[in-house]
Amino acid sequence: MSGIDILTFLIWLVAAITFILALKFLASPKTARTGNQLGAIGMALVIIWTLITDFIVPGQAGRLWIVAVGGVIGAVVGVLSARRVPMTAMPQMVAIFNGAGGGAAAVVAVSEFLASANASEGQLLPIVPVVATLLGALIGGVSLTGSIVAFGKLQGFISGRPVTYNGQQVVAGLLLGALLIIGVVLAVLVNSIPLFLLFVVLALITGVALVMPIGGADMPVVISLLNSYTGIAVAATGFVLGNYALLIAGTLVGASGAILTQLMCRAMNRSLFNVLFGAFGAVVAGGSAAASGEEQNVREIGAEDAAVLMAYGKKVIIVPGYGMAVAQAQASVRELMDLLIAKGVDVEFAIHPVAGRMPGHMNVLLAEANVPYDRLKEMDEINDEFASADVALVIGANDVTNPAARTDTTSPIYGMPILNVDAAQNVIVLKRSMAAGFAGIDNPLYGDPKTAMLFGDAKKSVENLVAGVKLA
């Protein structure tokens, strides 16, 4: 082993350590920025060393311009996206960037297979590298097109409702069966470039077929799962290329994404199979007012009265949801919190694991508005505190506050752990209208006698609450 090889392994080891520490720090909002920076440093180290070795290794310098051009384009897109994309659109950016990662892994797998097939002169390739290459192409392709569909659903280009049809499970089964058969043939029977390209095309189609039937309410789980897919594809690519930095990074992303996916499924009391094939979000018959066409009698409240109710209470729990994200109301919510605290009110935020459209969506938005981390409480930590709260202020969080999850066995969210906002002395709900959430069902909370509805754009409503608290 040459000195360059030894140094390369050391660089990879250092990078792997930074990746592991990055994940550790990302586990807490207080250290998340440090974790993000550590991960970026580790990846930059690997990229820079790759560029250096391209200069040193004979015959490799000619490819440097490709890497340099790609790096410049990627850096420009990354910087502009980070600076210009609003926090409310962060789920879409995560989805599309994840798709780019999966697509990159698939392209590398295709390139490696084509190069190996051309060099082998029709002879079978070693089975282990072929299997790894096929996995990289399959999982990367599924992640690419699946992430594009997820992006479209989040952005509104594609309906957020599940796009279902009769026999969709059969079609998905046939696609997966065809991929398995073609993969076995390529691994043990024949070295065929046309058959491999068909394999890649079917992988791309499978990504669309798997994500289209999934409703918008399940996008946090889908994004997490697709992140895991991309990590596995990258790990397979690292194995094929003999690059341990890629292998370790991909394995960490794949494993952490899988764990996060499982935790989010548990938070909804649903299996991953049900998320992928249950068509959650379709309008269902029975079990809710939204489904049966019945209308609830709701009590409306003005912003001034709501502000007085909070200003003279002892404890207020704010429940942020997607409505806050859409209205970009997080800064106004922070101002409301500051005013209430100045009046001696104890204010906390209740965060449901699947609130919003990506894992940690509410945490990210509130952190952007500089809401102190110690006021953000996870569901298990704060649920018992609602009973002592004078007011629970719900900002666009529909399904995660729906009491039907506890009692209505016909509801599609039955059994899902929810925030116990109905235990508070008073509940104020900020919504644009009485339209159902992504689950497609009504929320009995809105008909509760102690619930008052403040209709309108969430940001404008919170600004009116701020004005009311100042006068209270």
Side-chain angles (χ1 to χ4, degrees):
M1 184 179 290
S2 67
I4 293 296
D5 291 334
I6 294 174
L7 192 53
T8 297
F9 279 112
L10 289 175
I11 294 292
W12 288 346
L13 177 61
V14 172
I17 293 173
T18 65
F19 297 153
I20 294 170
L21 291 175
L23 282 178
K24 176 65 177 177
F25 285 120
L26 285 170
S28 169
K30 294 181 180 179
T31 57
R33 289 186 177 180
T34 302
N36 196 30
Q37 291 166 355
L38 276 173
I41 290 171
M43 188 55 66
L45 185 63
V46 173
I47 293 173
I48 292 171
W49 181 248
T50 301
L51 294 176
I52 292 174
T53 53
D54 265 356
F55 275 119
I56 296 174
V57 177
Q60 298 296 315
R63 303 187 309 172
L64 182 61
W65 70 272
I66 300 176
V67 178
V69 171
V72 169
I73 294 174
V76 170
V77 171
V79 170
L80 291 179
S81 299
R83 291 184 175 276
R84 295 186 179 182
V85 173
M87 295 301 292
T88 50
M90 198 57 61
Q92 294 93 303
M93 191 178 81
V94 170
I96 204 66
F97 278 10
N98 178 69
V107 168
V108 171
V110 171
S111 175
E112 287 298 311
F113 185 90
L114 295 180
S116 300
N118 288 326
S120 67
E121 298 180 352
Q123 296 180 357
L124 281 178
L125 299 172
I127 188 169
V128 174
V130 168
V131 170
T133 302
L134 291 173
L135 285 174
L138 169 61
I139 302 173
V142 169
S143 179
L144 170 61
T145 53
S147 296
I148 291 174
V149 172
F151 169 82
K153 283 178 174 283
L154 293 169
Q155 190 66 22
F157 297 151
I158 302 173
S159 172
R161 298 294 185 190
V163 180
T164 59
Y165 54 91
N166 292 330
Q168 69 183 44
Q169 287 88 351
V170 175
V171 171
L174 289 174
L175 283 170
L176 294 174
L179 286 166
L180 178 61
I181 293 171
I182 295 174
V184 171
V185 170
L186 289 169
V188 301
L189 294 179
V190 62
N191 179 11
S192 170
I193 291 178
L195 197 59
F196 175 75
L197 294 179
L198 175 61
F199 179 87
V200 174
V201 171
L202 289 178
L204 296 173
I205 295 173
T206 300
V208 176
L210 290 178
V211 180
M212 284 295 288
I214 302 176
D218 280 332
M219 280 304 110
V221 180
V222 173
I223 291 174
S224 177
L225 182 62
L226 290 173
N227 276 330
S228 179
Y229 285 173
T230 297
I232 297 171
V234 169
T237 300
F239 180 84
V240 172
L241 298 177
N243 188 314
Y244 292 108
L246 276 179
L247 180 60
I248 294 170
T251 302
L252 290 172
V253 172
S256 58
I259 293 171
L260 179 58
T261 301
Q262 183 59 35
L263 290 174
M264 298 185 75
C265 287
R266 190 179 304 163
M268 297 189 298
N269 195 35
R270 299 170 62 213
S271 67
L272 182 58
F273 182 88
N274 181 260
V275 171
L276 296 178
F277 301 107
F280 180 67
V283 178
V284 295
S288 69
S292 63
E294 299 175 6
E295 292 186 2
Q296 298 188 81
N297 292 320
V298 299
R299 177 169 63 94
E300 293 190 42
I301 191 172
E304 291 184 3
D305 291 336
V308 169
L309 196 61
M310 289 189 292
Y312 288 94
K314 294 181 179 179
K315 185 179 184 66
V316 173
I317 298 178
I318 300 175
V319 181
Y322 190 56
M324 185 188 76
V326 172
Q328 300 186 47
Q330 58 269 27
S332 299
V333 171
R334 166 63 196 265
E335 185 179 2
L336 176 64
M337 178 200 73
D338 288 339
L339 289 171
L340 290 173
I341 292 174
K343 289 182 175 292
V345 181
D346 180 20
V347 181
E348 292 182 320
F349 291 79
I351 309 297
H352 194 281
V354 293
R357 293 297 171 264
M358 73 174 184
H361 195 181
M362 296 301 104
N363 301 72
V364 172
L365 290 174
L366 294 172
E368 181 199 24
N370 294 317
V371 173
Y373 296 128
D374 57 0
R375 294 192 179 273
L376 306 182
K377 306 294 184 180
E378 299 297 330
M379 178 176 61
D380 293 339
E381 184 182 1
I382 200 170
N383 254 351
D384 291 339
E385 296 186 29
F386 278 103
S388 62
D390 296 286
V391 178
L393 179 65
V394 181
I395 309 177
N398 195 326
D399 301 324
V400 298
T401 62
N402 194 331
R406 301 195 204 103
T407 59
D408 188 354
T409 58
T410 66
S411 172
I413 63 171
Y414 177 70
M416 182 180 84
I418 63 167
L419 292 165
N420 297 334
V421 295
D422 54 337
Q425 301 302 310
N426 298 278
V427 181
I428 300 173
V429 178
L430 274 56
K431 276 179 65 70
R432 288 180 177 273
S433 68
M434 287 297 294
F438 270 103
I441 59 175
D442 198 11
N443 191 337
L445 174 70
Y446 304 154
D448 191 310
K450 61 183 176 183
T451 298
M453 308 295 296
L454 179 57
F455 292 112
D457 175 77
K459 184 176 182 180
K460 182 63 177 177
S461 294
V462 175
E463 289 174 348
N464 291 336
L465 290 175
V466 167
V469 170
K470 288 179 179 178
L471 296 175

mmCIF file of all heavy atoms in Angstrom, residues 117 336 341 399 404:
data_model
loop_
_atom_site.group_PDB
_atom_site.id
_atom_site.type_symbol
_atom_site.label_atom_id
_atom_site.label_comp_id
_atom_site.label_asym_id
_atom_site.label_seq_id
_atom_site.Cartn_x
_atom_site.Cartn_y
_atom_site.Cartn_z
ATOM 1 N N ALA A 117 -19.195 -3.924 -18.166
ATOM 2 C CA ALA A 117 -19.758 -4.795 -19.199
ATOM 3 C C ALA A 117 -18.969 -4.684 -20.500
ATOM 4 O O ALA A 117 -18.725 -5.693 -21.175
ATOM 5 C CB ALA A 117 -21.217 -4.430 -19.435
ATOM 6 N N LEU A 336 -45.749 37.163 19.904
ATOM 7 C CA LEU A 336 -46.859 36.885 20.814
ATOM 8 C C LEU A 336 -46.354 36.219 22.087
ATOM 9 O O LEU A 336 -46.774 36.577 23.197
ATOM 10 C CB LEU A 336 -47.883 35.991 20.112
ATOM 11 C CG LEU A 336 -49.078 35.520 20.953
ATOM 12 C CD1 LEU A 336 -49.930 36.712 21.387
ATOM 13 C CD2 LEU A 336 -49.915 34.507 20.169
ATOM 14 N N ILE A 341 -45.179 36.352 27.929
ATOM 15 C CA ILE A 341 -44.204 36.116 29.006
ATOM 16 C C ILE A 341 -43.986 37.397 29.811
ATOM 17 O O ILE A 341 -43.879 37.365 31.047
ATOM 18 C CB ILE A 341 -42.872 35.598 28.419
ATOM 19 C CG1 ILE A 341 -43.066 34.194 27.838
ATOM 20 C CG2 ILE A 341 -41.776 35.588 29.480
ATOM 21 C CD1 ILE A 341 -41.844 33.661 27.112
ATOM 22 N N ASP A 399 -54.910 17.348 11.979
ATOM 23 C CA ASP A 399 -54.993 15.915 12.272
ATOM 24 C C ASP A 399 -54.311 15.523 13.581
ATOM 25 O O ASP A 399 -54.740 14.588 14.255
ATOM 26 C CB ASP A 399 -54.394 15.109 11.120
ATOM 27 C CG ASP A 399 -55.125 15.382 9.808
ATOM 28 O OD1 ASP A 399 -56.349 15.564 9.861
ATOM 29 O OD2 ASP A 399 -54.463 15.435 8.752
ATOM 30 N N ALA A 404 -60.786 12.220 17.385
ATOM 31 C CA ALA A 404 -61.308 11.004 16.755
ATOM 32 C C ALA A 404 -60.262 9.895 16.752
ATOM 33 O O ALA A 404 -60.609 8.711 16.672
ATOM 34 C CB ALA A 404 -61.750 11.313 15.320
#
